[in-house]
Amino acid sequence: MSALNIKFNTSNRELFNTLRQRVDEYFKTNQISKFANYKMVIKTIALFALYFTPYFLLIFNTFPNTAMQFFCCLLMGFGMSGIGLSVMHDAVHGAYARNKTINDLLCKSMNLIGGSSLNWSIQHNTLHHTYTNVHEIDEDIAPAGFLRFEPHAKLSKIHKYQFLYAWFFYGLMTIMWATTKDFKQLSRYNRKDLLKLKNTTYKKELINLIFNKLFYFTYTVIIPYMLLDLPFYQIIIGWLIMHYVAGIMLALIFQPAHVIDTTDFPLPKGGSMEDDFATHQLRTTTNFGTNSIFMSWFVGGLNFQVEHHLFPNICHIHYKKIAPIVKKTVEEFNIPYLSKSTFVGAIYDHAKILYDLGRPNKLKA
C-alpha cells in the first residue's frame, strides 16, 4: 500500500490543537524562539570538533602509537553520531534555524559523515515521522530479513535468536549507509515516486550521491592512506571502528523509542488509520532516560521522543521544558504518555520485545 494513500482520522483534532496551543503559549509567555539558541550553537561546534579534531590529529600523524590512532577513530565515531543526532536531525526537520538556508546546509552534514541527506529526509520525515510503526511503510521497522521489529512482519526460524545477534548488526548501520544502502534506497524511492515529493529526479540525485560518496571516501580513506605510513588494512580497521561506534550509538537511541513492549504497531483499514495523527504518535512512541542531563545533551533530546514526534519543528533543546506540558495535556485526554525511566531500562525492554518477536506464540499480529 502506498504511503501517499494512507489517511489519518480527522474527525477529532482537539488533542493536537490543545497541545499546540499550550506549547505555543509557553514560547510566547517566555519570549523565546522555538529554534536553536547560543547553547545549541556551542553544542554544534563542540560536536563537529569531536569529529574533526581526532581526524586532523590522525592525518598529521600526531600519534604514531596504533592504540591512540584507533582511539581517535573511536572518538570520531562518537562525533559522527553526535552530529547526526543533535545537529543534522534538527536541521532536516527545519528546527535548527528560522533560516531555510542554514537548515539545508546543516542537513547536508549527513553527506559529510557518509550518508545521504535526501534519503534520510524521505525515510525519516516522510515515512517514519508520518507513518510511525506502520507495517511496510515505516522503514525504521523494516530491517533486513534476519531481523523482525514488528508483529506483522513474516516470522522466520532465525528470528528466535535475534535478541542475541541483533546488537552486532546494529553497529553496521552507518557502514551500510556509507556503502550500499543509499544507492538501493534512492532506486527504491524513485520506483515509488517519492523523489517527486522533493522536486528532483533520479538521474540528478544519483550523480549527487556518487559525488558525495567519492568526496567522503577520499577524505576518510584515501587521504589518510596517502599521508600516513600505515598499511591499508589499518586504515580500513580505523574506518570500521569509527562507523561501528556511530552505528551502535544511533541504533541504541532510535530502536528503544519505537520497538519496545509498550508501543503499538497499528495497521490501516481501508486506506485509513483508526487514530488521529497525534494519538497515533503517542501510541507508537516512547520516551526514556529523560532525567539524564548528559543523555539529553548528547542524543539531541531524542530521549524525549514523544515531544519530538509531536513537535519535530521545535529544536530539541526545548523538549525538556515542554515535556511537562505535553504529559499533562495527554493525560487529560486519557491517552497513555509512554516513558521509560532509564536508558538501560529501555534497552532491556527492547531486548525483551526482540525475544518475543522471535517466537510464534508472542505478540501475534
Side-chain angles (χ1 to χ4, degrees):
M1 185 177 295
S2 171
L4 302 180
N5 296 326
I6 303 296
K7 306 298 181 184
F8 285 93
N9 189 332
T10 58
S11 62
N12 186 359
R13 297 182 178 178
E14 186 180 0
L15 170 60
F16 186 68
N17 288 340
T18 304
L19 281 166
R20 184 167 54 188
Q21 178 185 0
R22 292 179 179 180
V23 170
D24 286 346
E25 185 63 28
Y26 162 79
F27 286 100
K28 182 179 179 180
T29 300
N30 291 280
Q31 297 183 327
I32 55 178
S33 168
K34 294 180 180 180
F35 301 100
N37 56 19
Y38 76 94
K39 292 181 180 179
M40 183 62 197
V41 174
I42 293 172
K43 177 180 178 177
T44 301
I45 295 170
L47 290 172
F48 274 97
L50 182 59
Y51 179 72
F52 281 107
T53 300
Y55 172 77
F56 285 111
L57 289 175
L58 283 170
I59 64 171
F60 288 121
N61 202 24
T62 308
F63 303 112
N65 181 276
T66 302
M68 285 301 299
Q69 291 170 346
F70 286 157
F71 180 71
C72 285
C73 294
L74 183 146
L75 289 179
M76 287 183 69
F78 280 108
M80 179 189 295
S81 61
I83 291 170
L85 291 167
S86 292
V87 183
M88 182 281 297
H89 190 233
D90 271 11
V92 78
H93 286 292
Y96 191 98
R98 195 181 302 274
N99 187 299
K100 184 178 182 300
T101 301
I102 295 175
N103 285 322
D104 290 345
L105 180 63
L106 290 176
C107 181
K108 285 181 170 56
S109 63
M110 183 68 166
N111 304 334
L112 191 64
I113 56 177
S116 165
S117 57
L118 175 78
N119 284 351
W120 177 253
S121 176
I122 295 174
Q123 175 185 333
H124 188 69
N125 289 27
T126 305
L127 302 179
H128 170 66
H129 262 264
T130 309
Y131 306 99
T132 311
N133 280 15
V134 177
H135 177 60
E136 293 185 335
I137 298 180
D138 183 1
E139 292 191 355
D140 283 19
I141 59 166
F146 51 83
L147 290 170
R148 185 174 188 248
F149 285 169
E150 45 106 353
H152 308 293
K154 182 180 178 181
L155 177 65
S156 299
K157 290 182 179 180
I158 193 173
H159 295 142
K160 182 178 181 180
Y161 305 102
Q162 68 173 359
F163 74 102
L164 297 174
Y165 63 71
W167 316 98
F168 168 76
F169 289 102
Y170 285 170
L172 303 180
M173 179 190 295
T174 62
I175 295 174
M176 300 308 297
W177 284 352
T179 54
T180 61
K181 181 179 178 179
D182 280 335
F183 292 97
K184 295 177 181 179
Q185 206 169 37
L186 183 65
S187 178
R188 181 167 68 252
Y189 292 160
N190 180 53
R191 293 194 303 271
K192 293 183 176 182
D193 288 333
L194 293 173
L195 296 183
K196 292 180 180 179
L197 299 176
K198 301 297 181 180
N199 296 315
T200 190
T201 65
Y202 177 71
K203 181 179 179 180
K204 175 184 176 181
E205 295 306 327
L206 180 60
I207 293 172
N208 287 338
L209 186 60
I210 292 172
F211 175 80
N212 288 332
K213 297 298 182 183
L214 288 174
F215 173 76
Y216 175 71
F217 281 102
T218 296
Y219 92 81
T220 59
V221 177
I222 304 302
I223 289 179
Y225 180 66
M226 292 174 61
L227 295 181
L228 301 175
D229 186 21
L230 295 173
F232 187 67
Y233 75 84
Q234 191 166 323
I235 301 292
I236 296 300
I237 291 174
W239 186 87
L240 290 173
I241 289 173
M242 173 184 69
H243 270 282
Y244 200 86
V245 169
I248 199 72
M249 287 293 299
L250 293 173
L252 292 182
I253 297 304
F254 284 115
Q255 296 305 334
H258 301 287
V259 184
I260 203 165
D261 57 346
T262 52
T263 54
D264 289 344
F265 299 88
L267 288 174
K269 297 178 181 179
S272 298
M273 303 302 299
E274 180 180 355
D275 291 323
D276 60 279
F277 178 77
T279 302
H280 176 86
Q281 297 303 323
L282 289 162
R283 295 191 187 281
T284 57
T285 307
T286 302
N287 286 354
F288 53 85
T290 54
N291 291 325
S292 172
I293 296 175
F294 173 75
M295 171 162 288
S296 298
W297 186 89
F298 185 76
V299 307
L302 294 181
N303 49 333
F304 290 92
Q305 193 76 198
V306 171
E307 285 68 30
H308 173 61
H309 268 255
L310 291 172
F311 299 102
N313 60 332
I314 294 177
C315 184
H316 74 265
I317 57 173
H318 304 295
Y319 291 161
K320 189 173 183 64
K321 293 292 186 180
I322 69 172
I325 301 172
V326 173
K327 186 175 187 293
K328 182 177 182 295
T329 304
V330 167
E331 290 175 346
E332 287 177 9
F333 280 80
N334 295 316
I335 298 173
Y337 178 87
L338 305 178
S339 184
K340 300 290 182 179
S341 59
T342 66
F343 175 55
V344 173
I347 295 296
Y348 176 76
D349 287 338
H350 175 61
K352 284 200 305 182
I353 199 173
L354 287 179
Y355 179 89
D356 290 343
L357 285 167
R359 281 149 180 78
N361 60 334
K362 300 277 189 177
L363 299 176
K364 293 184 179 179

